[in-house]
Short mmCIF file of all heavy atoms in Angstrom, two decimals:
data_model
loop_
_atom_site.label_atom_id
_atom_site.label_comp_id
_atom_site.label_asym_id
_atom_site.label_seq_id
_atom_site.Cartn_x
_atom_site.Cartn_y
_atom_site.Cartn_z
N MET T 1 103.09 107.31 118.80
CA MET T 1 104.30 107.20 118.01
C MET T 1 104.00 107.55 116.55
O MET T 1 102.92 107.25 116.04
CB MET T 1 104.86 105.79 118.12
CG MET T 1 106.22 105.63 117.45
SD MET T 1 106.98 104.02 117.73
CE MET T 1 106.57 103.20 116.21
N ALA T 2 104.96 108.18 115.89
CA ALA T 2 104.80 108.52 114.47
C ALA T 2 104.68 107.24 113.65
O ALA T 2 105.07 106.15 114.09
CB ALA T 2 106.01 109.33 114.02
N ALA T 3 104.15 107.36 112.44
CA ALA T 3 104.01 106.20 111.56
C ALA T 3 105.37 105.61 111.20
O ALA T 3 105.48 104.42 110.96
CB ALA T 3 103.26 106.60 110.31
N THR T 4 106.37 106.46 111.19
CA THR T 4 107.72 106.02 110.89
C THR T 4 108.63 106.47 112.03
O THR T 4 108.58 107.62 112.43
CB THR T 4 108.23 106.63 109.57
OG1 THR T 4 107.31 106.32 108.54
CG2 THR T 4 109.61 106.09 109.23
N LYS T 5 109.42 105.55 112.51
CA LYS T 5 110.38 105.89 113.57
C LYS T 5 111.79 105.67 113.03
O LYS T 5 112.08 104.61 112.46
CB LYS T 5 110.15 105.00 114.80
CG LYS T 5 111.08 105.32 115.96
CD LYS T 5 110.77 104.43 117.15
CE LYS T 5 111.68 104.71 118.32
NZ LYS T 5 111.40 103.78 119.43
N ILE T 6 112.63 106.67 113.21
CA ILE T 6 114.02 106.59 112.77
C ILE T 6 114.89 106.73 114.00
O ILE T 6 114.80 107.73 114.72
CB ILE T 6 114.34 107.70 111.74
CG1 ILE T 6 113.45 107.52 110.51
CG2 ILE T 6 115.81 107.67 111.37
CD1 ILE T 6 113.55 108.64 109.50
N THR T 7 115.69 105.72 114.24
CA THR T 7 116.58 105.73 115.40
C THR T 7 118.02 105.77 114.91
O THR T 7 118.45 104.90 114.16
CB THR T 7 116.38 104.46 116.25
OG1 THR T 7 115.00 104.35 116.61
CG2 THR T 7 117.24 104.50 117.51
N VAL T 8 118.74 106.81 115.32
CA VAL T 8 120.16 106.92 114.97
C VAL T 8 120.93 106.23 116.09
O VAL T 8 120.97 106.72 117.23
CB VAL T 8 120.58 108.39 114.81
CG1 VAL T 8 122.02 108.47 114.31
CG2 VAL T 8 119.65 109.12 113.85
N ASN T 9 121.49 105.10 115.79
CA ASN T 9 122.16 104.28 116.81
C ASN T 9 123.57 104.78 117.09
O ASN T 9 124.28 105.24 116.18
CB ASN T 9 122.22 102.82 116.34
CG ASN T 9 120.86 102.19 116.32
OD1 ASN T 9 120.10 102.29 117.29
ND2 ASN T 9 120.51 101.53 115.23
N ASN T 10 123.98 104.65 118.33
CA ASN T 10 125.37 104.94 118.67
C ASN T 10 126.29 104.00 117.90
O ASN T 10 126.03 102.80 117.80
CB ASN T 10 125.62 104.73 120.17
CG ASN T 10 125.00 105.81 121.02
OD1 ASN T 10 124.82 106.94 120.57
ND2 ASN T 10 124.69 105.48 122.25
N ASP T 11 127.34 104.54 117.32
CA ASP T 11 128.40 103.76 116.67
C ASP T 11 127.90 102.86 115.55
O ASP T 11 128.56 101.84 115.24
CB ASP T 11 129.15 102.90 117.70
CG ASP T 11 129.63 103.70 118.89
OD1 ASP T 11 129.94 104.90 118.71
OD2 ASP T 11 129.70 103.13 120.00
N GLY T 12 126.74 103.17 114.96
CA GLY T 12 126.24 102.26 113.94
C GLY T 12 125.17 102.87 113.05
O GLY T 12 125.23 104.05 112.72
N SER T 13 124.22 102.05 112.72
CA SER T 13 123.26 102.33 111.65
C SER T 13 122.18 103.33 112.05
O SER T 13 122.03 103.70 113.21
CB SER T 13 122.59 101.04 111.22
OG SER T 13 121.77 100.56 112.28
N ILE T 14 121.40 103.69 111.05
CA ILE T 14 120.16 104.43 111.23
C ILE T 14 119.04 103.42 111.02
O ILE T 14 118.89 102.88 109.91
CB ILE T 14 120.05 105.58 110.22
CG1 ILE T 14 121.18 106.58 110.45
CG2 ILE T 14 118.68 106.25 110.32
CD1 ILE T 14 121.28 107.65 109.37
N ARG T 15 118.30 103.11 112.07
CA ARG T 15 117.22 102.12 111.98
C ARG T 15 115.93 102.83 111.60
O ARG T 15 115.52 103.81 112.24
CB ARG T 15 117.07 101.40 113.32
CG ARG T 15 115.96 100.36 113.33
CD ARG T 15 115.87 99.65 114.68
NE ARG T 15 114.72 98.81 114.77
CZ ARG T 15 114.63 97.56 114.33
NH1 ARG T 15 115.68 97.01 113.76
NH2 ARG T 15 113.53 96.86 114.46
N VAL T 16 115.28 102.31 110.57
CA VAL T 16 114.01 102.85 110.11
C VAL T 16 112.97 101.77 110.29
O VAL T 16 113.17 100.62 109.87
CB VAL T 16 114.08 103.26 108.62
CG1 VAL T 16 112.77 103.88 108.17
CG2 VAL T 16 115.25 104.21 108.37
N GLU T 17 111.87 102.12 110.95
CA GLU T 17 110.81 101.13 111.17
C GLU T 17 109.45 101.81 111.08
O GLU T 17 109.32 102.99 111.30
CB GLU T 17 110.99 100.43 112.52
CG GLU T 17 111.02 101.37 113.71
CD GLU T 17 111.46 100.67 114.99
OE1 GLU T 17 110.92 99.60 115.31
OE2 GLU T 17 112.35 101.22 115.66
N GLY T 18 108.46 101.00 110.74
CA GLY T 18 107.11 101.53 110.62
C GLY T 18 106.68 101.55 109.16
O GLY T 18 106.97 100.63 108.41
N ASP T 19 106.02 102.64 108.79
CA ASP T 19 105.52 102.79 107.43
C ASP T 19 106.52 103.60 106.62
O ASP T 19 106.65 104.81 106.84
CB ASP T 19 104.15 103.47 107.48
CG ASP T 19 103.51 103.56 106.11
OD1 ASP T 19 103.88 102.78 105.21
OD2 ASP T 19 102.64 104.43 105.94
N PHE T 20 107.24 102.97 105.72
CA PHE T 20 108.25 103.69 104.93
C PHE T 20 108.50 102.93 103.64
O PHE T 20 108.15 101.77 103.49
CB PHE T 20 109.57 103.83 105.72
CG PHE T 20 110.27 102.52 105.96
CD1 PHE T 20 111.21 102.04 105.06
CD2 PHE T 20 109.97 101.75 107.07
CE1 PHE T 20 111.86 100.83 105.28
CE2 PHE T 20 110.62 100.54 107.30
CZ PHE T 20 111.56 100.08 106.40
N GLU T 21 109.13 103.61 102.71
CA GLU T 21 109.71 102.97 101.54
C GLU T 21 111.04 103.64 101.29
O GLU T 21 111.26 104.79 101.67
CB GLU T 21 108.80 103.04 100.32
CG GLU T 21 108.54 104.42 99.80
CD GLU T 21 107.63 104.42 98.57
OE1 GLU T 21 107.05 103.38 98.23
OE2 GLU T 21 107.50 105.49 97.97
N ILE T 22 111.95 102.90 100.67
CA ILE T 22 113.27 103.42 100.35
C ILE T 22 113.39 103.40 98.83
O ILE T 22 113.13 102.35 98.21
CB ILE T 22 114.37 102.58 101.01
CG1 ILE T 22 114.19 102.61 102.53
CG2 ILE T 22 115.76 103.12 100.64
CD1 ILE T 22 115.14 101.71 103.29
N VAL T 23 113.76 104.53 98.26
CA VAL T 23 113.84 104.64 96.80
C VAL T 23 115.22 105.11 96.40
O VAL T 23 115.95 105.72 97.18
CB VAL T 23 112.76 105.62 96.26
CG1 VAL T 23 111.37 105.15 96.66
CG2 VAL T 23 113.00 107.04 96.75
N ASP T 24 115.58 104.80 95.14
CA ASP T 24 116.84 105.30 94.59
C ASP T 24 116.62 106.70 94.02
O ASP T 24 115.49 107.21 94.07
CB ASP T 24 117.41 104.29 93.58
CG ASP T 24 116.59 104.21 92.29
OD1 ASP T 24 115.72 105.07 92.05
OD2 ASP T 24 116.82 103.26 91.51
N PRO T 25 117.67 107.34 93.49
CA PRO T 25 117.50 108.72 93.01
C PRO T 25 116.48 108.85 91.87
O PRO T 25 115.95 109.95 91.63
CB PRO T 25 118.90 109.11 92.52
CG PRO T 25 119.81 108.26 93.33
CD PRO T 25 119.09 106.95 93.50
N GLN T 26 116.18 107.76 91.20
CA GLN T 26 115.18 107.80 90.13
C GLN T 26 113.78 107.51 90.65
O GLN T 26 112.81 107.48 89.88
CB GLN T 26 115.54 106.79 89.03
CG GLN T 26 116.75 107.20 88.18
CD GLN T 26 118.06 107.12 88.93
OE1 GLN T 26 118.33 106.14 89.63
NE2 GLN T 26 118.89 108.15 88.81
N GLY T 27 113.66 107.24 91.93
CA GLY T 27 112.36 106.96 92.53
C GLY T 27 111.97 105.50 92.52
O GLY T 27 110.87 105.14 92.94
N LYS T 28 112.86 104.63 92.04
CA LYS T 28 112.57 103.19 92.02
C LYS T 28 112.68 102.64 93.44
O LYS T 28 113.65 102.91 94.15
CB LYS T 28 113.54 102.47 91.08
CG LYS T 28 113.22 101.00 90.92
CD LYS T 28 114.16 100.34 89.92
CE LYS T 28 113.82 98.86 89.84
NZ LYS T 28 114.84 98.11 89.11
N VAL T 29 111.69 101.86 93.81
CA VAL T 29 111.59 101.38 95.19
C VAL T 29 112.46 100.13 95.39
O VAL T 29 112.43 99.20 94.58
CB VAL T 29 110.12 101.06 95.54
CG1 VAL T 29 110.00 100.50 96.95
CG2 VAL T 29 109.26 102.31 95.38
N PHE T 30 113.22 100.12 96.49
CA PHE T 30 113.96 98.93 96.89
C PHE T 30 112.96 97.88 97.36
O PHE T 30 112.05 98.18 98.14
CB PHE T 30 114.91 99.24 98.05
CG PHE T 30 116.19 99.91 97.67
CD1 PHE T 30 116.25 101.29 97.59
CD2 PHE T 30 117.33 99.18 97.39
CE1 PHE T 30 117.43 101.93 97.24
CE2 PHE T 30 118.52 99.80 97.03
CZ PHE T 30 118.56 101.18 96.96
N GLY T 31 113.14 96.65 96.93
CA GLY T 31 112.35 95.53 97.45
C GLY T 31 112.93 95.08 98.77
O GLY T 31 114.10 94.70 98.84
N LEU T 32 112.15 95.14 99.81
CA LEU T 32 112.66 94.83 101.15
C LEU T 32 112.20 93.46 101.64
O LEU T 32 112.38 93.12 102.81
CB LEU T 32 112.23 95.92 102.14
CG LEU T 32 112.71 97.34 101.80
CD1 LEU T 32 112.19 98.34 102.81
CD2 LEU T 32 114.23 97.41 101.70
N ALA T 33 111.61 92.67 100.75
CA ALA T 33 111.22 91.30 101.08
C ALA T 33 110.41 91.20 102.36
O ALA T 33 110.59 90.30 103.17
CB ALA T 33 112.47 90.41 101.16
N GLY T 34 109.51 92.16 102.52
CA GLY T 34 108.59 92.11 103.65
C GLY T 34 109.12 92.69 104.95
O GLY T 34 108.42 92.72 105.95
N ARG T 35 110.35 93.17 104.94
CA ARG T 35 110.90 93.76 106.17
C ARG T 35 110.12 95.00 106.56
O ARG T 35 109.78 95.82 105.69
CB ARG T 35 112.38 94.13 105.98
CG ARG T 35 113.31 92.93 105.89
CD ARG T 35 114.71 93.39 105.51
NE ARG T 35 115.66 92.29 105.44
CZ ARG T 35 115.80 91.50 104.37
NH1 ARG T 35 115.07 91.70 103.28
NH2 ARG T 35 116.66 90.51 104.41
N THR T 36 109.86 95.17 107.84
CA THR T 36 109.19 96.37 108.35
C THR T 36 110.17 97.25 109.11
O THR T 36 109.79 98.29 109.64
CB THR T 36 108.02 96.00 109.26
OG1 THR T 36 108.51 95.19 110.33
CG2 THR T 36 106.96 95.23 108.48
N ALA T 37 111.42 96.82 109.18
CA ALA T 37 112.48 97.62 109.79
C ALA T 37 113.76 97.33 109.03
O ALA T 37 113.97 96.20 108.55
CB ALA T 37 112.66 97.28 111.27
N ILE T 38 114.60 98.35 108.90
CA ILE T 38 115.84 98.19 108.15
C ILE T 38 116.90 99.12 108.75
O ILE T 38 116.56 100.16 109.30
CB ILE T 38 115.60 98.50 106.64
CG1 ILE T 38 116.68 97.91 105.77
CG2 ILE T 38 115.48 99.98 106.39
CD1 ILE T 38 116.41 96.50 105.35
N GLY T 39 118.15 98.73 108.64
CA GLY T 39 119.24 99.58 109.09
C GLY T 39 119.95 100.20 107.89
O GLY T 39 120.35 99.49 106.97
N LEU T 40 120.06 101.50 107.90
CA LEU T 40 120.79 102.21 106.86
C LEU T 40 122.19 102.53 107.37
O LEU T 40 122.36 102.95 108.52
CB LEU T 40 120.06 103.50 106.47
CG LEU T 40 118.67 103.31 105.86
CD1 LEU T 40 118.04 104.69 105.61
CD2 LEU T 40 118.73 102.51 104.58
N CYS T 41 123.17 102.38 106.48
CA CYS T 41 124.57 102.63 106.85
C CYS T 41 124.81 104.12 106.97
O CYS T 41 124.41 104.91 106.12
CB CYS T 41 125.48 102.04 105.79
SG CYS T 41 127.24 102.37 106.08
N ARG T 42 125.47 104.52 108.04
CA ARG T 42 125.92 105.91 108.15
C ARG T 42 127.41 106.00 108.38
O ARG T 42 127.95 107.08 108.58
CB ARG T 42 125.14 106.67 109.23
CG ARG T 42 125.42 106.32 110.65
CD ARG T 42 124.51 107.13 111.57
NE ARG T 42 124.83 106.87 112.96
CZ ARG T 42 125.54 107.70 113.73
NH1 ARG T 42 125.97 108.83 113.27
NH2 ARG T 42 125.79 107.38 114.98
N CYS T 43 128.09 104.85 108.33
CA CYS T 43 129.55 104.87 108.54
C CYS T 43 130.31 104.90 107.22
O CYS T 43 131.49 105.22 107.20
CB CYS T 43 129.98 103.66 109.36
SG CYS T 43 130.03 102.11 108.42
N GLY T 44 129.65 104.49 106.13
CA GLY T 44 130.30 104.49 104.82
C GLY T 44 131.05 103.22 104.51
O GLY T 44 131.64 103.10 103.43
N HIS T 45 131.06 102.23 105.38
CA HIS T 45 131.85 101.02 105.18
C HIS T 45 131.05 99.81 104.72
O HIS T 45 131.64 98.77 104.44
CB HIS T 45 132.61 100.67 106.46
CG HIS T 45 133.68 101.66 106.80
ND1 HIS T 45 134.92 101.66 106.22
CD2 HIS T 45 133.68 102.72 107.66
CE1 HIS T 45 135.65 102.65 106.69
NE2 HIS T 45 134.91 103.32 107.57
N SER T 46 129.75 99.89 104.64
CA SER T 46 128.95 98.73 104.24
C SER T 46 129.26 98.34 102.80
O SER T 46 129.41 99.18 101.92
CB SER T 46 127.46 99.05 104.37
OG SER T 46 126.69 97.97 103.87
N ALA T 47 129.29 97.03 102.54
CA ALA T 47 129.41 96.52 101.18
C ALA T 47 128.05 96.39 100.53
O ALA T 47 127.94 95.96 99.39
CB ALA T 47 130.12 95.17 101.19
N ASN T 48 127.00 96.75 101.26
CA ASN T 48 125.62 96.63 100.78
C ASN T 48 124.88 97.96 100.95
O ASN T 48 123.73 97.99 101.36
CB ASN T 48 124.90 95.50 101.52
CG ASN T 48 123.57 95.17 100.90
OD1 ASN T 48 123.37 95.31 99.70
ND2 ASN T 48 122.63 94.73 101.73
N LYS T 49 125.57 99.08 100.65
CA LYS T 49 124.94 100.39 100.79
C LYS T 49 123.68 100.47 99.93
O LYS T 49 123.66 99.89 98.86
CB LYS T 49 125.91 101.50 100.38
CG LYS T 49 127.12 101.63 101.28
CD LYS T 49 127.99 102.77 100.78
CE LYS T 49 129.37 102.75 101.39
NZ LYS T 49 130.26 101.74 100.84
N PRO T 50 122.67 101.12 100.39
CA PRO T 50 122.64 101.99 101.55
C PRO T 50 122.34 101.27 102.86
O PRO T 50 122.11 101.91 103.88
CB PRO T 50 121.51 102.97 101.21
CG PRO T 50 120.53 102.11 100.46
CD PRO T 50 121.39 101.18 99.65
N PHE T 51 122.37 99.93 102.84
CA PHE T 51 121.99 99.19 104.03
C PHE T 51 123.21 98.85 104.88
O PHE T 51 124.30 98.64 104.36
CB PHE T 51 121.25 97.90 103.63
CG PHE T 51 120.08 98.18 102.75
CD1 PHE T 51 120.14 97.94 101.38
CD2 PHE T 51 118.92 98.74 103.27
CE1 PHE T 51 119.08 98.24 100.56
CE2 PHE T 51 117.84 99.05 102.46
CZ PHE T 51 117.92 98.80 101.09
N CYS T 52 123.00 98.79 106.15
CA CYS T 52 124.06 98.41 107.09
C CYS T 52 124.29 96.90 106.99
O CYS T 52 123.34 96.12 106.95
CB CYS T 52 123.61 98.77 108.52
SG CYS T 52 124.71 98.17 109.82
N ASP T 53 125.55 96.51 106.93
CA ASP T 53 125.88 95.08 106.95
C ASP T 53 126.72 94.71 108.17
O ASP T 53 127.29 93.63 108.21
CB ASP T 53 126.57 94.66 105.65
CG ASP T 53 127.97 95.26 105.51
OD1 ASP T 53 128.40 96.05 106.39
OD2 ASP T 53 128.65 94.93 104.51
N GLY T 54 126.81 95.59 109.12
CA GLY T 54 127.57 95.33 110.34
C GLY T 54 129.03 95.73 110.26
O GLY T 54 129.76 95.62 111.25
N SER T 55 129.48 96.21 109.10
CA SER T 55 130.89 96.57 108.92
C SER T 55 131.34 97.71 109.82
O SER T 55 132.54 97.89 110.04
CB SER T 55 131.17 96.95 107.47
OG SER T 55 130.99 95.84 106.62
N HIS T 56 130.40 98.47 110.35
CA HIS T 56 130.77 99.59 111.24
C HIS T 56 131.56 99.10 112.45
O HIS T 56 132.41 99.81 112.96
CB HIS T 56 129.52 100.37 111.68
CG HIS T 56 128.49 99.54 112.34
ND1 HIS T 56 127.45 98.95 111.66
CD2 HIS T 56 128.35 99.18 113.63
CE1 HIS T 56 126.70 98.27 112.51
NE2 HIS T 56 127.22 98.39 113.72
N LYS T 57 131.30 97.87 112.87
CA LYS T 57 132.02 97.34 114.04
C LYS T 57 133.49 97.14 113.72
O LYS T 57 134.37 97.61 114.45
CB LYS T 57 131.39 96.02 114.49
CG LYS T 57 129.98 96.20 115.04
CD LYS T 57 129.35 94.87 115.37
CE LYS T 57 127.89 95.07 115.73
NZ LYS T 57 127.11 93.85 115.54
N ALA T 58 133.78 96.44 112.61
CA ALA T 58 135.17 96.20 112.22
C ALA T 58 135.88 97.50 111.88
O ALA T 58 137.09 97.63 112.09
CB ALA T 58 135.23 95.23 111.04
N ALA T 59 135.14 98.46 111.35
CA ALA T 59 135.73 99.74 110.96
C ALA T 59 135.99 100.64 112.16
O ALA T 59 136.68 101.65 112.05
CB ALA T 59 134.82 100.46 109.97
N GLY T 60 135.42 100.28 113.31
CA GLY T 60 135.63 101.09 114.50
C GLY T 60 134.87 102.40 114.46
O GLY T 60 135.28 103.38 115.08
N PHE T 61 133.76 102.40 113.72
CA PHE T 61 132.96 103.64 113.64
C PHE T 61 132.50 104.04 115.02
O PHE T 61 131.96 103.23 115.77
CB PHE T 61 131.76 103.42 112.71
CG PHE T 61 130.89 104.63 112.55
CD1 PHE T 61 131.36 105.77 111.94
CD2 PHE T 61 129.58 104.62 113.00
CE1 PHE T 61 130.55 106.90 111.78
CE2 PHE T 61 128.76 105.73 112.84
CZ PHE T 61 129.25 106.87 112.23
N ASN T 62 132.71 105.31 115.34
CA ASN T 62 132.41 105.78 116.68
C ASN T 62 131.70 107.11 116.60
O ASN T 62 132.26 108.09 116.13
CB ASN T 62 133.73 105.92 117.47
CG ASN T 62 133.50 106.28 118.90
OD1 ASN T 62 132.91 107.29 119.20
ND2 ASN T 62 133.97 105.45 119.81
N ASP T 63 130.44 107.12 117.02
CA ASP T 63 129.70 108.37 117.06
C ASP T 63 128.55 108.21 118.04
O ASP T 63 127.63 107.41 117.82
CB ASP T 63 129.15 108.74 115.68
CG ASP T 63 128.45 110.09 115.69
OD1 ASP T 63 129.10 111.08 116.07
OD2 ASP T 63 127.26 110.13 115.34
N THR T 64 128.63 108.91 119.13
CA THR T 64 127.57 108.87 120.14
C THR T 64 126.51 109.88 119.76
O THR T 64 126.82 111.02 119.41
CB THR T 64 128.16 109.19 121.53
OG1 THR T 64 129.17 108.21 121.81
CG2 THR T 64 127.08 109.15 122.59
N VAL T 65 125.27 109.46 119.83
CA VAL T 65 124.15 110.29 119.37
C VAL T 65 123.34 110.78 120.56
O VAL T 65 122.96 109.99 121.43
CB VAL T 65 123.25 109.48 118.42
CG1 VAL T 65 122.10 110.34 117.92
CG2 VAL T 65 124.06 108.93 117.26
N VAL T 66 123.10 112.08 120.59
CA VAL T 66 122.23 112.68 121.59
C VAL T 66 121.26 113.59 120.86
O VAL T 66 121.69 114.47 120.09
CB VAL T 66 123.03 113.48 122.64
CG1 VAL T 66 122.09 114.14 123.65
CG2 VAL T 66 124.06 112.59 123.34
N ALA T 67 119.97 113.39 121.05
CA ALA T 67 118.97 114.23 120.38
C ALA T 67 119.16 115.68 120.79
O ALA T 67 119.51 115.98 121.94
CB ALA T 67 117.57 113.75 120.74
N ARG T 68 118.93 116.57 119.87
CA ARG T 68 119.11 118.01 120.12
C ARG T 68 118.19 118.80 119.19
O ARG T 68 117.66 118.27 118.23
CB ARG T 68 120.56 118.42 119.90
CG ARG T 68 121.04 118.15 118.48
CD ARG T 68 122.54 118.34 118.35
NE ARG T 68 123.03 118.09 117.01
CZ ARG T 68 123.29 116.88 116.51
NH1 ARG T 68 123.12 115.81 117.24
NH2 ARG T 68 123.74 116.74 115.28
N GLU T 69 118.07 120.07 119.51
CA GLU T 69 117.28 120.98 118.68
C GLU T 69 118.18 121.54 117.58
O GLU T 69 119.32 121.95 117.85
CB GLU T 69 116.73 122.15 119.51
CG GLU T 69 115.78 121.74 120.60
CD GLU T 69 114.46 121.18 120.08
OE1 GLU T 69 114.01 121.65 119.01
OE2 GLU T 69 113.91 120.30 120.74
N LEU T 70 117.67 121.56 116.37
CA LEU T 70 118.40 122.17 115.27
C LEU T 70 118.03 123.65 115.17
O LEU T 70 116.92 124.04 115.56
CB LEU T 70 118.06 121.49 113.95
CG LEU T 70 118.46 120.03 113.82
CD1 LEU T 70 118.01 119.49 112.46
CD2 LEU T 70 119.95 119.84 114.01
N PRO T 71 118.92 124.47 114.62
CA PRO T 71 118.56 125.88 114.42
C PRO T 71 117.50 125.97 113.32
O PRO T 71 117.35 125.04 112.51
CB PRO T 71 119.88 126.51 113.97
CG PRO T 71 120.70 125.40 113.43
CD PRO T 71 120.28 124.17 114.18
N PRO T 72 116.76 127.07 113.26
CA PRO T 72 115.77 127.23 112.20
C PRO T 72 116.43 127.12 110.82
O PRO T 72 117.59 127.51 110.67
CB PRO T 72 115.21 128.64 112.42
CG PRO T 72 115.61 129.01 113.79
CD PRO T 72 116.86 128.25 114.13
N PRO T 73 115.68 126.62 109.84
CA PRO T 73 116.27 126.54 108.48
C PRO T 73 116.52 127.92 107.94
O PRO T 73 115.81 128.89 108.24
CB PRO T 73 115.20 125.81 107.68
CG PRO T 73 113.94 125.95 108.45
CD PRO T 73 114.31 126.13 109.89
N LYS T 74 117.58 128.03 107.11
CA LYS T 74 117.89 129.31 106.47
C LYS T 74 116.84 129.59 105.40
O LYS T 74 116.41 128.67 104.71
CB LYS T 74 119.28 129.25 105.83
CG LYS T 74 120.39 129.14 106.86
CD LYS T 74 121.75 129.07 106.20
CE LYS T 74 122.82 128.91 107.28
NZ LYS T 74 124.14 128.63 106.73
N PRO T 75 116.43 130.84 105.30
CA PRO T 75 115.44 131.18 104.25
C PRO T 75 115.99 130.88 102.87
O PRO T 75 117.17 131.11 102.61
CB PRO T 75 115.20 132.67 104.45
CG PRO T 75 116.02 133.10 105.61
CD PRO T 75 116.87 131.97 106.08
N LYS T 76 115.13 130.38 102.00
CA LYS T 76 115.55 130.13 100.62
C LYS T 76 115.42 131.41 99.81
O LYS T 76 114.45 132.14 99.94
CB LYS T 76 114.69 129.02 100.01
CG LYS T 76 114.94 127.70 100.70
CD LYS T 76 114.20 126.57 100.06
CE LYS T 76 114.55 125.30 100.82
NZ LYS T 76 113.85 124.15 100.39
N ILE T 77 116.42 131.66 99.01
CA ILE T 77 116.43 132.91 98.23
C ILE T 77 115.75 132.68 96.89
O ILE T 77 115.83 131.69 96.27
CB ILE T 77 117.87 133.42 98.02
CG1 ILE T 77 118.51 133.67 99.39
CG2 ILE T 77 117.88 134.67 97.18
CD1 ILE T 77 119.96 134.05 99.35
S1 FES X 101 126.50 101.75 109.81
FE1 FES X 101 126.63 99.59 109.76
S2 FES X 101 127.92 99.18 108.08
FE2 FES X 101 127.82 101.35 108.16
#
């Protein structure tokens, strides 16, 4: 298994576990109080962004996730 595992959950958060850090746009690290796994919001309804607070359930967020191959990246000009 990779050092960091990211699981995109159906109808909810993005779970990050393993060796990771989460930083703001200035590079300042979020204090995670020893957590080794965290859920990031992908529904846009959390009151504690970027973290999931469970609001996706009340919001009725619905997105089924199936792993797939992405196309090659476009060349940078
Ligand atoms: S994914 Fe859980 S609150 Fe947005």
Side-chain angles (χ1 to χ4, degrees):
M1 187 173 99
T4 305
K5 182 179 180 183
I6 299 173
T7 305
V8 186
N9 291 312
N10 287 333
D11 308 329
S13 67
I14 298 171
R15 180 179 171 84
V16 183
E17 57 191 311
D19 184 21
F20 67 91
E21 64 180 10
I22 300 175
V23 301
D24 70 12
Q26 288 71 45
K28 185 176 177 191
V29 177
F30 281 88
L32 301 178
R35 289 172 178 83
T36 58
I38 200 87
L40 297 177
C41 177
R42 71 182 184 102
C43 76
H45 292 280
S46 175
N48 190 31
K49 294 181 194 76
F51 305 103
C52 172
D53 68 357
S55 295
H56 56 268
K57 293 176 188 158
F61 180 65
N62 185 301
D63 184 57
T64 301
V65 181
V66 178
R68 60 190 180 278
E69 297 292 327
L70 296 178
K74 293 180 182 171
K76 294 185 178 175
I77 300 174

